């Protein structure tokens, strides 16, 4: 299939779709040809905003797949719908780009990833200026081999909204971005095992563990202390990396906000400010993402956000969920063929 021109069907016209379309408006190779949404008001707004004919608007995915000229479908619906919608799109011959999380079931994700299509997942956070700067600093060797990681990222989201009734909202909706960012700055990390504790503060509006504390083990000896959630009383973001030569500390409002403070401490020394972002312009993560994605669709290298590569993240999440159930470390398989997981001694 030729992808010189991307003709997109959007499934789910919410905030994520609109953010993506703002960026895609600047790509000469992109055209929006269909919108599918169960909300008639959302369809009419899309018709007005993007100058679409009435024939491009659908409330039913099957009808859209049967009559649209799209060659790509962007699936930005609740994750419990992703599996069935992706299967339908693949059966119709379209190439899906699916919002994170890929699905909320590892075995379903592994099945879809094995379809042999250039299926990708919308993991754009790794292209934020913050992570690009940290990755560059680490690749310089300034820290040496990183062996201790502290990743704290939580926010005060005191309305559950689309996560009401959702099982494990943090691990599926937030940790997927955290792990992708971690593997972006430390691409050689190989997950070994994990144990997590989940809880809900008394003020939480969620129906499942909305705060997660975890310990992650990696092959080669590296460890990560992890804290994430939706029910803090104030924003919390800190990424601290320690290696043989020193420590780097990054603090800010949230991973999606590029206003970061950086500090570096040489081995045994005090932290001092360092400007990692100097000379690096602000980035549009979606623009960088789409450039890599478009290149892949047209024969380029497989990106880190392909469905197959995304299993590296989802296998860790699935193991973390099992560790919550078992109260023990759970081994993380190196490939889908090693599923299911097994407990390991504490």
């Amino acid at each position: 299939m030729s992808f010189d021109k991307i003709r997109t069907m959007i499934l789910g016209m919410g905030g994520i779709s609109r953010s993506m379309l703002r960026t895609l408006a600047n790509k000469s190779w992109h055209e929006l040809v269909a919108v599918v949404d169960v909300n008639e008001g959302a369809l009419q707004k899309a018709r007005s905003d993007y100058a679409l004919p009435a024939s491009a608007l659908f409330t039913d995915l099957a009808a859209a797949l049967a009559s649209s000229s799209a060659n790509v479908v962007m699936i930005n619906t609740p994750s419990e719908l992703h599996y069935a919608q992706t299967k339908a799109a693949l059966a119709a011959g379209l190439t899906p780009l699916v919002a994170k999380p890929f699905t909320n079931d590892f075995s379903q994700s592994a099945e879809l990833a094995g379809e042999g299509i250039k299926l990708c997942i919308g993991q754009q956070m790794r292209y934020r200026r913050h992570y690009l700067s940290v990755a560059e600093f680490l690749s310089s060797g300034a820290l040496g081999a990183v062996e201790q990681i502290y990743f704290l990222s939580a926010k005060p989201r005191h309305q559950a909204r689309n996560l009401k009734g959702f099982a494990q909202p943090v691990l599926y909706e937030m940790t997927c971005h955290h792990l992708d960012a971690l593997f972006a700055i430390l691409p050689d990390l190989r997950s070994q095992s994990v144990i997590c504790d989940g809880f809900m503060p008394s003020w939480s509006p969620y129906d499942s563990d909305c705060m997660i504390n975890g310990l992650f083990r990696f092959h080669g000896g590296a460890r990560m202390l992890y804290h994430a959630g939706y029910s803090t009383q104030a924003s919390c973001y800190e990424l601290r990396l320690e290696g043989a030569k020193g420590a780097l500390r990054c603090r800010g409002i949230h991973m999606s906000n590029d206003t970061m403070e950086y500090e570096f401490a040489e081995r045994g020394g005090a932290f001092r400010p360092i400007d990692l972002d100097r000379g690096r312009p602000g980035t549009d993560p979606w623009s960088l993402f789409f450039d890599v994605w478009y290149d892949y669709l047209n024969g380029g290298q497989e990106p880190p956000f392909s469905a197959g590569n995304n299993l590296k993240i989802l296998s860790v999440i699935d193991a973390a969920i099992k560790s919550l159930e078992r109260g023990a470390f759970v081994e993380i398989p190196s490939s889908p063929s090693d599923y299911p997981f097994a407990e390991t001694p504490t």
Side-chain angles (χ1 to χ4, degrees), residues 203-218:
W203 56 82
S204 172
Y206 295 85
D207 299 313
S208 179
D209 296 331
C210 62
M211 302 298 298
I212 296 290
N213 293 317
L215 173 61
F216 293 71
R217 294 170 172 169
F218 301 95

Side-chain angles (χ1 to χ4, degrees), residues 141-155:
L143 287 187
V146 173
E147 296 184 28
Q148 294 183 172
I149 305 162
Y150 306 82
F151 201 138
L152 288 68
S153 184
K155 57 185 179 180

Side-chain angles (χ1 to χ4, degrees), residues 3 95-97 116-120 293 295-300 306-307:
F3 287 95
T95 297
L97 173 59
I117 303 296
K118 292 187 175 182
L119 175 59
C120 289
W293 175 65
D295 179 69
Y296 174 51
L297 294 185
N298 286 286
S306 71

Side-chain angles (χ1 to χ4, degrees), residues 82-209:
H82 288 179
Y83 175 75
Q85 292 171 341
T86 302
K87 290 280 284 187
L90 291 171
L94 276 69
T95 297
L97 173 59
V98 186
K100 61 81 184 172
F102 185 6
T103 75
N104 52 15
D105 180 278
F106 180 80
S107 60
Q108 289 183 347
S109 295
E111 176 193 332
L112 292 173
E115 293 282 352
I117 303 296
K118 292 187 175 182
L119 175 59
C120 289
I121 314 304
Q123 298 261 201
Q124 85 285 8
M125 288 293 185
R126 62 168 48 229
Y127 297 109
R128 296 211 73 90
R129 180 175 66 168
H130 163 49
Y131 293 118
L132 296 175
S133 297
V134 171
E136 185 177 86
F137 182 79
L138 295 181
S139 67
S140 73
L143 287 187
V146 173
E147 296 184 28
Q148 294 183 172
I149 305 162
Y150 306 82
F151 201 138
L152 288 68
S153 184
K155 57 185 179 180
R157 183 179 172 180
H158 294 316
Q159 292 182 342
R161 298 195 294 274
N162 62 305
L163 299 181
K164 187 71 175 173
F166 194 94
Q168 301 306 332
V170 177
L171 289 169
Y172 272 122
E173 293 289 331
M174 184 181 277
T175 303
C176 59
H177 271 320
H178 296 162
L179 290 173
D180 187 60
L182 180 69
F183 295 140
I185 62 176
L186 293 166
D188 293 330
L189 276 183
R190 292 174 52 241
S191 301
Q192 183 178 42
S193 60
V194 60
I195 187 169
C196 284
D197 173 57
F199 66 102
M200 289 192 296
S202 61
W203 56 82
S204 172
Y206 295 85
D207 299 313
S208 179
D209 296 331

Side-chain angles (χ1 to χ4, degrees), residues 11-31:
L11 177 54
M13 185 50 77
I16 294 175
S17 292
R18 293 186 178 280
S19 177
M20 295 166 79
L21 288 171
R22 280 194 294 271
T23 296
L24 287 168
N26 299 313
K27 306 295 183 183
S28 61
W29 42 260
H30 179 262
E31 179 184 4

Side-chain angles (χ1 to χ4, degrees), residues 29 54 61 66 126 161 168 184 200 223 233 272 287 325:
W29 42 260
L61 176 59
R126 62 168 48 229
R161 298 195 294 274
Q168 301 306 332
M200 289 192 296
R223 299 288 193 271
Q233 298 292 32
R272 299 182 183 278
S287 184
E325 298 167 351

